[in-house]
Each structure stands twice: as C-alpha cells, then as structure tokens.
Amino acid sequence: MSDGNYIKISRRILDWEWWMDMNTTRVFIYMIIRANWKEGKFKGIDIPRGSFAASIASISDGTGLTNDEVRTAIKHL
C-alpha cells in the first residue's frame, strides 16, 4: 500500500502543450502533489481521492505565484 509520499509523472509531460509555460506547469504539479491520495474531509465536507480543497490565495502561497498568475494557469488547465 502506498504511503502517499510519491507521485508518478509520465515523460510524455514534455509533449504537453503547456509544458513551456512555467506558471501553468508549476500550478499543475502543485495540484498533483496536493491532491488527496485517499478519501479525506475538509471542514466537514468529504473530499474524494484525487481532489483537494484550496483557494487562489492558498495556491498562490504554495507556488510563489501571484493570484493573477494562478488564475491564468487554472484557466489553461
């Protein structure tokens, strides 16, 4: 059983249309790392595996990007 400390990324990510956009890539990888690897709860709400609760501001804090950069990256995704 996995302990949730690892993620797997295919080498084909290098062919992804947004790979060269570092802000979008950073937000994408941040989201993959933050996503629940098992069922969880946030403030009484069930958060399924593969999801996580976040705000633009929390993603901004976690990535070092501005709120506007995060919004643009999320639009790309």
Side-chain angles (χ1 to χ4, degrees):
M1 179 173 227
S2 173
D3 64 3
N5 287 324
Y6 299 94
I7 60 169
K8 188 188 314 189
I9 297 177
S10 170
R11 287 183 175 94
R12 291 188 336 197
I13 195 170
L14 298 173
D15 299 327
W16 179 42
E17 65 181 308
W18 295 107
W19 175 251
M20 296 301 284
D21 184 315
M22 294 311 298
N23 292 347
T24 302
T25 300
R26 177 176 281 193
V27 169
F28 177 72
I29 292 173
Y30 177 80
M31 289 178 160
I32 290 172
I33 292 168
R34 288 289 317 238
N36 290 348
W37 61 277
K38 62 181 183 178
E39 299 293 318
K41 282 193 177 282
F42 177 76
K43 295 186 178 183
I45 299 171
D46 290 329
I47 307 295
R49 180 176 178 220
S51 301
F52 70 103
S55 65
I56 297 293
S58 69
I59 296 171
S60 176
D61 289 343
T63 60
L65 300 173
T66 67
N67 288 350
D68 286 341
E69 289 170 330
V70 170
R71 276 190 201 93
T72 300
I74 289 172
K75 286 178 187 175
H76 293 162
L77 298 172

